[in-house]
Amino acid sequence: MANVMEVYQLLPKTNCKECGYPTCMAFAVALLGKEKIIEDCPPLIENPKYEKKLEKLRELLAPLMSADATETGMIIHTDKCYGCGNCVVACPVNVANDPKGTALGFGPKSGRAILMVEDGVIKCVNVEECRRFGPEKILCSACIVTCPSRAIEFV
Amino acid sequence: MAVCTGCSLLCDDIELEFEDGKISLTKNLCRKGEGRYRSLREDRLVPAVDGAKVGFDEAISRAAELLGDAENPLLFGWSNSSLEAQRIGIDLAKKLGATIDDTSSFCQGYLMEKVLRGEYPTCTLDEVRNFADVLIYWGSDPSSSQPRHMSRFSYFPRGEKRQRGYDEDRTAIAIDVRKSPTVVIAADGFFRIPPGGDAEFIEALLAALGGKIPKVKDKKMKKKILKLGSTLRKAEFGVVFPGLGLIYSLKDEIDKLTPLITRLNEVSSYKLIPMVGHYNMRGFNQTLLEETGHINRVSFKDGVEHGTQFAVTEAVNDCDALMVIGSDLISALPAAISKKLARIPTVAIDPHRNLTTDMARVTIPSAISGLEAGGSALRMDGVKVEFEPVIKSGYRSDVEILSRIMEAV
Ligand code: SF4
């Protein structure tokens, strides 16, 4: 998982404001929050002296930008997933939204669960209900710590 | 809702979607179960005699001949067959005067017998979900072998007296020689022991439960075991889930577990549920027990006889024909015994090709239970689960195959 300092180190660090942010640090935060993309920093793209940094930054942020990452930043490595459903049952949102299904260890029964197992692997739906989503977000890690194969991470 | 026969949890909340008569989407199946569903289209066995494809009827009559002509036939497998098929299998063994044994013989047999005879207290997985607060996974790794064990029953779900979630309401303890995927989850309660160290660990635990200092060299471990002793004493409803790791480690000293189970029940209330792998091993053990007074290793040659000489690993020395149903015996046994097996004329009944079917003289393809054939089975905790076929296929059920062989001998 990338952190702000790591991202910042790979930016031009000139605070040129061309991205629309007052500092490179602010832009780094925006990148991690998926509010901006790397291409929003013109010097980094255009100036050949940043070529190496650009390459490294792309590498660092690849998981975050990938199609796999949901809007909460959750990445599910389906190749590692056992489909055991631990995260489905432990997720506090599932428990609250689906008291007759996932809360009791079954598959979802209410249509309001956010994690479920399909075709033998975990799938995230109704993302907006995840506690890591939206302005009030909190750093919930119920699905990460209950996974036996560490198939879930947040970027 | 469909039932998965991928392991002995027999999950009964499986939802399926179909397209053109084929399953297009599965819901709630774990990866292992999904593998079983996908195997519908993979590596299916064909009826054959001496490697040449034959019709189903021909395969049946050759199988009946081979078994009927034998002096000492051995019928093995059974833990992947329905209760109904197992019953016919036992009747077939009687009719043939054969030896019958199942996978429990080199697996969970010892513990299953204790449980079935009421010598170890046990309970259902639903009771575990509703009441259990201390869970001991000992030499077992449900995350790999019974993937939904912890989410459906033991650790994560809310239950009647366990409403607050696993982190507040339950304590998971894992005793193992390695950092298994289950240990990853139960990290706080992990006790790593050296291979073969289970007997010593039992001693240490008995000491700790009795308020004595356990004889353990490692100081940290000593402290940890003492703490474990007090956690175990405080439990309201504890459950031990022993796996093959424990059984293979204790070997002939498996009896050492008994004083621990007794002691645990003096300080609190503890149950034991053996972590069965195949979906209906318990079913076979119970059926044979009701029928003969023994859970496995029975010969019907001269009335009912029981003993280690009738365990598959020994019986292969004397048998002159072998029928294997729903098991890849050759892969499961050590090479030295497998070599002997290769010389015995064999009938193999299985949905799929495997090493055993490859070396068999007669092969008979069967339907996959739960998918192509209905029936019932006993979950690892003894709860009976019934299932219907979910798709149509031309494959015959074990029940049909065994009945046909029975008629023909
Ligand atoms: S846990 Fe076992 S019974 Fe349940 S879905 Fe997985 S393989 Fe099938």
Side-chain angles (χ1 to χ4, degrees), chain A residues 78-86 89-90 95 103-108 117-121 142 145-148 150, chain B residues 12-13 15 24-32 34 38 129 143-144 147-148 150-152 156-158 166 181 184-185:
Chain A
T78 47
D79 53 325
K80 286 192 196 166
C81 175
Y82 292 3
C84 64
N86 289 355
V89 177
V95 171
L104 303 180
F106 296 106
V117 177
E118 274 186 17
D119 287 335
V121 290
V145 298
T146 55
C147 177
R150 295 289 177 253
Chain B
D12 54 2
D13 61 345
E15 291 173 43
S24 56
L25 182 84
T26 70
K27 289 186 182 170
N28 309 330
L29 262 187
C30 76
R31 197 178 199 120
K32 188 170 175 176
E34 176 76 14
R38 292 215 175 137
R129 179 169 64 78
S143 296
S144 307
R148 294 182 67 197
M150 298 174 101
S151 67
R152 273 190 73 204
F156 296 111
R158 318 271 159 149
Y166 71 101
V184 171
I185 306 168

Side-chain angles (χ1 to χ4, degrees), chain A residues 5 11 22-23 28 30 37 39 56 61 63-64 79 85 113 150 152:
Chain A
M5 270 326 273
L11 294 175
T23 60
I37 54 173
E39 286 67 24
K56 276 202 180 144
L61 295 182
L64 179 66
D79 53 325
R150 295 289 177 253
I152 299 180

Side-chain angles (χ1 to χ4, degrees), chain A residues 10 15 33 48 74 79 132 138 141 144:
Chain A
L10 296 172
N15 300 338
M74 176 196 259
D79 53 325
R132 286 198 175 228
I138 58 166
S141 59
I144 306 175

Side-chain angles (χ1 to χ4, degrees), chain A residues 22-152:
Chain A
T23 60
C24 289
M25 189 57 105
F27 182 67
V29 174
L31 271 182
L32 276 177
K34 289 179 92 171
E35 286 155 29
K36 287 277 168 187
I37 54 173
I38 298 174
E39 286 67 24
D40 290 331
C41 171
L44 193 63
I45 302 295
E46 287 155 18
N47 196 332
K49 75 174 181 192
Y50 297 128
E51 206 178 313
K52 277 232 165 80
K53 284 193 164 185
L54 177 61
E55 198 185 312
K56 276 202 180 144
L57 187 63
R58 288 218 158 103
E59 220 172 89
L60 183 69
L61 295 182
L64 179 66
M65 301 301 171
S66 80
D68 278 357
T70 64
E71 286 159 70
T72 55
M74 176 196 259
I75 298 183
I76 299 170
H77 300 283
T78 47
D79 53 325
K80 286 192 196 166
C81 175
Y82 292 3
C84 64
N86 289 355
C87 56
V88 175
V89 177
C91 167
V93 179
N94 271 15
V95 171
N97 286 359
D98 192 36
K100 295 250 150 60
T102 54
L104 303 180
F106 296 106
K109 289 196 174 152
S110 73
R112 289 186 57 219
I114 62 177
L115 285 164
M116 58 186 65
V117 177
E118 274 186 17
D119 287 335
V121 290
I122 202 73
K123 185 178 159 186
C124 184
V125 290
N126 302 333
V127 174
E128 64 289 349
E129 300 255 345
C130 173
R131 302 207 291 179
R132 286 198 175 228
F133 191 82
E136 310 271 297
K137 61 184 167 194
I138 58 166
L139 274 186
C140 176
S141 59
C143 54
I144 306 175
V145 298
T146 55
C147 177
S149 60
R150 295 289 177 253
I152 299 180

